[in-house]
Coordinates of all heavy atoms in Angstrom, one line a residue:
D244 N -2.3 1.0 -3.1 CA -2.2 -0.4 -2.8 C -2.0 -1.2 -4.1 O -2.2 -0.6 -5.2 CB -3.5 -0.9 -2.1 CG -3.3 -2.3 -1.6 OD1 -2.2 -2.7 -1.1 OD2 -4.3 -3.1 -1.6
T245 N -1.5 -2.4 -4.0 CA -1.3 -3.2 -5.2 C -2.0 -4.6 -5.0 O -2.1 -5.1 -3.9 CB 0.2 -3.4 -5.5 OG1 0.8 -4.1 -4.5 CG2 0.9 -2.1 -5.8
E246 N -2.4 -5.2 -6.1 CA -2.7 -6.6 -6.1 C -1.9 -7.3 -7.1 O -1.6 -6.8 -8.2 CB -4.2 -6.8 -6.4 CG -5.2 -6.1 -5.5 CD -5.1 -6.4 -4.0 OE1 -4.6 -7.5 -3.7 OE2 -5.4 -5.5 -3.2
Q261 N -4.1 0.3 -7.0 CA -5.3 1.1 -6.6 C -4.7 2.4 -6.0 O -3.7 2.4 -5.3 CB -6.1 0.4 -5.5 CG -6.5 -1.0 -5.8 CD -5.6 -2.0 -5.3 OE1 -4.5 -2.2 -5.8 NE2 -6.0 -2.7 -4.2
Y371 N -13.3 -4.9 -3.0 CA -12.3 -5.2 -2.1 C -11.0 -4.3 -2.4 O -10.4 -3.7 -1.5 CB -11.9 -6.7 -2.2 CG -10.6 -6.9 -1.5 CD1 -10.4 -7.0 -0.1 CD2 -9.4 -7.1 -2.3 CE1 -9.2 -7.2 0.5 CE2 -8.2 -7.3 -1.7 CZ -8.1 -7.3 -0.3 OH -6.9 -7.5 0.3
D375 N -9.3 -1.2 0.1 CA -7.9 -1.2 0.6 C -7.3 0.1 0.6 O -6.3 0.4 1.4 CB -7.1 -2.2 -0.1 CG -7.1 -3.6 0.5 OD1 -7.8 -3.8 1.5 OD2 -6.5 -4.5 -0.1
Ligands
MN76 MN1 -4.9 -4.9 -1.2

Side-chain angles (χ1 to χ4, degrees):
D244 187 38
T245 63
E246 304 302 333
Q261 308 98 287
Y371 165 77
D375 270 359

